[in-house]
Amino acid sequence: MDDLIYPHAHVALRLPSDTLKVVQVVPNTTISIGKYGSFQSNHIIGRPYHLTFEIIDGPLSSNQSSLRVVSAVETYAHTSNESTAPPEVEAEGVDQSGNSGVEYEVVNDEGKVVMRTNREIMDDTGSQKLTMDEIEAMKREKSGSGKNVIAKILESHSTLDQKTAFGLAKYTLRKAKKYLRRFSVLPVDVPLLVDFVLNEKEPAKIMEIREEMLALIGSWSNVHYSGSTQKVLDENSGPWMEEGRWLVVDETGGLLVAAMAERMGILHPSYDEITSNEKAGSKDEIERGDHGVTNGNRSLKAIPKSVELQNRSMSAKSNTITIIHANTQPNLSLLTYFDFDPTSPTLSHPLHEHLKSVSWLQLLSPNKDSAYTEPEHIADGTLQTLKSGKKSNYFRKRRRWERVRTVVDETRAGGFDGLTVASVMSPADILHRLVPLLRGAAQVVVYSPNIEPLAELADYYSTARRTAFLTNPPAKESFPNEDFPLDPTLLLAPAVYTSRCRNWQVLPGRTHPLMTGRGGAEGYIFTATRVLPAEGKVEARGTFKRRKKGADVIVGSPASQTISSTPKSNDPS
């Protein structure tokens, strides 16, 4: 992730009301933040993230506004004790022991009031002398950044001196959130995007998945950066296979893919690499449309940089994510906040090479999919007589067919390091098709807003059901059936987990858990480990001697190291 704000990047603006607004910083445009005003996008381009800006209006004759960087001391001044400490007042009729008979005052041993309560304060709208029309008139004057409005409101409050220290701080903070024209620029990452969708958008689109649940999914899935050249030996999927390949079923709009890609280091592109590739892939470098594909043994001219980047789509062999979807294209709309458009991807983005998509039709019945079917082959002589448009269209179809065939074939070959599921489909149906594609010791994680589907899934892989399956295995013709919907020998140690973080208010002298919070689904995950069942009958052989009672066994002797599953009988018959 870059440290500076670059053009066309998506950033999050945290407003004084603690709401988030995600915008794209397009150069030479005006960014509006509602009632707080607007500013020029060029004023924040090239500046670091996590700065707080204040909108300063220009002269009345000009609609231009400027920004001022607010220091950290000024930003958090309302939380310091010095700015909210109540003035010490003398309490009348209070003796040295502090017994004044007034229950709403707290005094010290010297008889001074150190804290007052709001017991005698009456909530009356007449205490504020300013009307809403006068406040709106001051806002339209465009003088200052809202501080003058807050000062006038505090000055016009008739019972301000009766408020307690905490009451005064809360009242001032409430007015600052309403009238202070400030905002903070934050980078868009996965935790911030989760907060933005849950509170500002529609939580149902991401299955109400929370930040802590995403962290738990990534931890149990063992998602990590795997490099580009690591290999591991696997007996089932061939002599060698690449490491760091994860299988995903994502129906959260791409949020689960984004969380995994962030852990794998392929989510955030580098601005320098994007600009260099855009210059290399300019249109004036593309001379022909038939680059990048060989037709028989015919060699083509040198491939331009842009066409070479196009041919690298879904070409990575390790550190990859393969998403299984039900439609023509997967729903990855949330990846646009990370500068990746699935419909028109940026060629230099890491996900362009490391994110692969396969439909359920291509996985289960690839011959029925038109994209997997090889297009008609045209001879070299006939190809030379075609017009440039038809020739370009022919090579484009060939490139697409080769890419789809390669991705589908390697997905059906299996050998994945893990499976992560967040879908409204039946978890049992998904695992029935995808668990055999995993290698040994691969992790399986399934998310569901409710616990019932995962509890049923844990029962399918329970120890009791696995024992019954091994004792009396069903016939291949009748499997799966009602008793054994899934093969319980493929997954080990099934478990169901949940996690929820509680928000606390952390302020000097006012630390306590928040009494309000959003509801919604609790969210649960199912975890298990892929195992490879041993083929044939397992039998341990060796010498066995019955141990006599009270006899000492010498450590290291064959009797203490060898165990037989069929001990010899002492019966001579």
Side-chain angles (χ1 to χ4, degrees):
M1 182 182 297
D2 296 314
D3 298 329
L4 302 179
I5 304 172
Y6 289 107
H8 302 284
H10 285 82
V11 299
L13 305 180
R14 186 174 293 278
L15 306 180
S17 58
D18 291 334
T19 59
L20 290 173
K21 181 172 183 169
V22 179
V23 298
Q24 187 178 14
V25 185
V26 180
N28 304 321
T29 58
T30 301
I31 299 177
S32 175
I33 52 176
K35 66 178 182 181
Y36 298 104
S38 60
F39 60 94
Q40 297 296 318
S41 60
N42 295 345
H43 291 170
I44 63 174
I45 293 178
R47 292 178 177 267
Y49 286 102
H50 304 285
L51 288 181
T52 300
F53 297 93
E54 191 173 69
I55 301 177
I56 306 296
D57 290 324
L60 294 177
S61 59
S62 175
N63 293 328
Q64 299 293 332
S65 60
S66 59
L67 297 181
R68 181 181 71 89
V69 179
V70 183
S71 62
V73 177
E74 186 179 356
T75 303
Y76 300 101
H78 61 275
T79 61
S80 61
N81 290 329
E82 297 178 358
S83 61
T84 60
E88 292 186 354
V89 296
E90 295 291 340
E92 300 180 358
V94 179
D95 55 14
Q96 296 297 326
S97 62
N99 298 324
S100 62
V102 182
E103 298 179 358
Y104 59 89
E105 292 182 349
V106 179
V107 298
N108 56 11
D109 296 337
E110 298 178 357
K112 296 182 179 180
V113 176
V114 296
M115 184 180 296
R116 294 181 299 188
T117 67
N118 57 0
R119 182 172 179 176
E120 289 192 344
I121 297 179
M122 303 298 295
D123 189 9
D124 187 10
T125 56
S127 58
Q128 179 56 253
K129 299 179 181 179
L130 289 177
T131 62
M132 288 301 301
D133 296 337
E134 295 174 344
I135 294 176
E136 292 296 330
M138 287 190 296
K139 291 171 59 179
R140 287 192 296 267
E141 290 178 359
K142 292 186 177 181
S143 57
S145 59
K147 293 182 180 180
N148 59 335
V149 178
I150 298 174
K152 287 289 186 180
I153 292 176
L154 295 179
E155 183 181 353
S156 303
H157 203 287
S158 59
T159 60
L160 191 66
D161 56 340
Q162 300 179 12
K163 290 183 177 294
T164 64
F166 298 155
L168 178 60
K170 292 174 64 176
Y171 183 79
T172 306
L173 180 61
R174 187 165 63 250
K175 298 305 176 183
K177 289 182 176 181
K178 188 174 182 179
Y179 298 107
L180 204 58
R181 305 172 64 188
R182 292 179 180 177
F183 64 92
S184 300
V185 184
L186 306 176
V188 178
D189 53 10
V190 174
L192 186 141
L193 185 60
V194 173
D195 186 19
F196 174 69
V197 176
L198 287 179
N199 298 305
E200 309 297 336
K201 295 293 183 178
E202 300 182 21
K205 289 186 177 181
I206 60 172
M207 300 178 65
E208 301 185 81
I209 190 169
R210 302 184 304 277
E211 176 186 351
E212 55 269 23
M213 293 304 299
L214 276 178
L216 200 62
I217 291 173
S219 177
W220 278 106
S221 300
N222 193 25
V223 180
H224 59 279
Y225 174 74
S226 302
S228 57
T229 58
Q230 297 185 19
K231 296 183 178 180
V232 64
L233 183 64
D234 189 88
E235 297 179 355
N236 288 347
S237 57
W240 291 97
M241 72 173 189
E242 301 291 343
E243 187 182 14
R245 301 167 62 235
W246 275 269
L247 203 58
V248 181
V249 180
D250 183 8
E251 294 186 10
T252 62
L255 182 62
L256 182 59
V257 171
M260 298 179 63
E262 190 173 46
R263 285 175 169 261
M264 299 168 65
I266 56 177
L267 180 62
H268 303 284
S270 175
Y271 178 76
D272 297 334
E273 184 178 355
I274 290 178
T275 53
S276 62
N277 289 329
E278 285 179 352
K279 293 179 181 179
S282 57
K283 292 184 179 180
D284 55 352
E285 291 187 29
I286 303 178
E287 300 177 356
R288 297 173 56 187
D290 56 351
H291 297 288
V293 175
T294 58
N295 187 43
N297 296 325
R298 186 172 64 90
S299 61
L300 300 177
K301 295 182 179 180
I303 301 175
K305 181 69 174 179
S306 60
V307 179
E308 181 182 354
L309 290 175
Q310 292 177 5
N311 294 339
R312 286 161 50 185
S313 175
M314 299 190 292
S315 61
K317 298 300 181 182
S318 64
N319 203 42
T320 61
I321 299 175
T322 302
I323 179 171
I324 310 296
H325 56 91
N327 301 317
T328 306
Q329 295 290 336
N331 180 15
L332 302 174
S333 58
L334 293 181
L335 292 183
T336 56
Y337 293 108
F338 303 100
D339 303 323
F340 182 79
D341 187 2
T343 59
S344 179
T346 305
L347 302 182
S348 58
H349 199 286
L351 291 177
H352 179 64
E353 301 179 26
H354 296 267
L355 179 60
K356 306 180 181 183
S357 62
V358 177
S359 66
W360 283 105
L361 180 61
Q362 293 172 346
L363 181 66
L364 302 180
S365 301
N367 295 326
K368 296 181 180 180
D369 185 69
S370 59
Y372 189 81
T373 305
E374 183 179 3
E376 182 183 358
H377 182 78
I378 302 178
D380 292 344
T382 307
L383 187 63
Q384 296 296 333
T385 61
L386 296 179
K387 295 182 179 180
S388 60
K390 293 184 178 181
K391 190 186 301 184
S392 176
N393 187 30
Y394 169 74
F395 281 106
R396 184 170 61 252
K397 289 182 178 180
R398 296 287 301 184
R399 285 196 300 267
R400 181 173 181 266
W401 167 73
E402 290 180 357
R403 182 174 62 251
V404 171
R405 185 190 60 179
T406 302
V407 174
V408 171
D409 290 345
E410 71 177 16
T411 302
R412 290 170 58 86
F416 289 91
D417 293 85
L419 170 63
T420 307
V421 179
S423 172
V424 296
M425 296 173 58
S426 172
D429 295 338
I430 295 176
L431 296 190
H432 175 66
R433 302 294 184 179
L434 300 184
V435 167
L437 301 179
L438 304 179
R439 66 176 180 86
Q443 298 298 317
V444 177
V445 178
V446 182
Y447 169 80
S448 175
N450 306 313
I451 194 175
E452 288 78 12
L454 302 186
E456 183 179 5
L457 194 62
D459 177 64
Y460 292 158
Y461 291 102
S462 62
T463 304
R465 199 177 291 263
R466 182 167 57 252
T467 303
F469 184 88
L470 294 175
T471 303
N472 187 16
K476 293 183 179 181
E477 297 78 10
S478 61
F479 180 81
N481 51 38
E482 184 179 356
D483 295 331
F484 301 104
L486 299 171
D487 188 351
T489 62
L490 298 182
L491 295 183
L492 191 65
V496 179
Y497 298 94
T498 186
S499 176
R500 179 182 284 270
C501 295
R502 307 295 178 182
N503 294 326
W504 281 60
Q505 172 183 288
V506 182
L507 293 173
R510 290 165 283 171
T511 299
H512 60 78
L514 296 181
M515 299 295 105
T516 59
R518 67 174 308 274
E522 183 70 18
Y524 301 87
I525 64 170
F526 165 87
T527 65
T529 304
R530 171 77 160 100
V531 292
L532 304 177
E535 297 181 358
K537 183 179 181 181
V538 178
E539 184 177 1
R541 294 182 178 276
T543 59
F544 178 80
K545 295 182 179 180
R546 185 179 297 275
R547 181 178 176 180
K548 297 181 179 180
K549 294 183 179 180
D552 296 330
V553 179
I554 302 177
V555 178
S557 62
S560 62
Q561 294 181 346
T562 307
I563 300 177
S564 175
S565 60
T566 56
K568 296 180 180 180
S569 175
N570 294 329
D571 191 356
S573 60

